Amino acid sequence: MATNDEFRALMSGFPSGVAVLTSVGPGGAPAGLTCSSLCSVSLDPPVLLACVRSGSPTLEALLRFRGFAVNMLHEDARTTSELFSSGAPDRFDRVAWQPAEDSGLPHLVDQAHTVADCEVFSSKVVGDHTVVFGGVRRVRPLTSEPPRPLVYGLSRYTGWPPR
């Protein structure tokens, strides 16, 4: 079995787009975390998966609410990625967001280029993470320009394509 350091080195060489998963927690409070473990599962029906650290309060919120938003961050949203990976309790006070009209899911309106609202289909614990399968119910582009996503790999951020 590979060591944790060997596995980290392997995965750091596989750059990924960066998203913030958001949901609704107890009492209607917004919950969210940075996620780069996200991928498409099926086109018909549209399903994606996200891997979230087991024990995360955001994971608990999205499983309880049975829904989550995938906020695909744009290239200038590095500080938002860092904020939502920090666990800071006031993170939603420090970014612009609004609840989606139909779902109530928090959308990061200034930091994302696109948001997808998802319904939790199922989840499975694998090691120290939980794989959450989400049926994509709505996709909302937040810009009319082509997306310029934020990318993370080799322990650094960049835009795509790089400037």
Side-chain angles (χ1 to χ4, degrees), residues 81-104:
S81 173
E82 292 169 339
L83 175 64
F84 279 82
S85 65
S86 74
D90 65 342
R91 57 192 149 208
F92 281 93
D93 296 332
R94 295 164 56 185
V95 296
W97 68 276
Q98 58 188 220
E101 289 181 24
D102 53 349
S103 67

Side-chain angles (χ1 to χ4, degrees), residues 22 25 43 45 63 70 89 153:
T22 56
L43 185 60
L63 292 176
V70 178

Side-chain angles (χ1 to χ4, degrees), residues 1 5 10 16 52 79-80 86-87 89 92-93 98-99 120-121 124 139 142 161:
M1 179 86 51
D5 288 340
L10 169 73
S16 298
V52 181
T79 57
T80 300
S86 74
F92 281 93
D93 296 332
Q98 58 188 220
V120 174
F121 275 178
K124 178 169 177 56
V139 175
L142 298 177

Side-chain angles (χ1 to χ4, degrees), residues 45-139:
V47 176
L48 56 76
L49 70 74
C51 300
V52 181
R53 180 184 55 81
S54 296
S56 160
T58 299
L59 173 64
E60 183 180 330
L62 69 87
L63 292 176
R64 179 172 287 140
F65 193 71
R66 302 296 301 162
F68 59 100
V70 178
N71 296 269
M72 304 294 248
L73 299 185
H74 59 67
E75 67 182 347
D76 296 322
R78 174 184 178 163
T79 57
T80 300
S81 173
E82 292 169 339
L83 175 64
F84 279 82
S85 65
S86 74
D90 65 342
R91 57 192 149 208
F92 281 93
D93 296 332
R94 295 164 56 185
V95 296
W97 68 276
Q98 58 188 220
E101 289 181 24
D102 53 349
S103 67
L105 292 166
H107 287 186
L108 304 182
V109 294
D110 291 340
Q111 300 80 22
H113 60 78
T114 308
V115 181
D117 288 345
C118 302
E119 173 187 357
V120 174
F121 275 178
S122 65
S123 63
K124 178 169 177 56
V125 176
V126 179
D128 58 0
H129 277 62
T130 299
V131 181
V132 179
F133 294 89
V136 179
R137 295 294 176 226
R138 183 179 113 166
V139 175

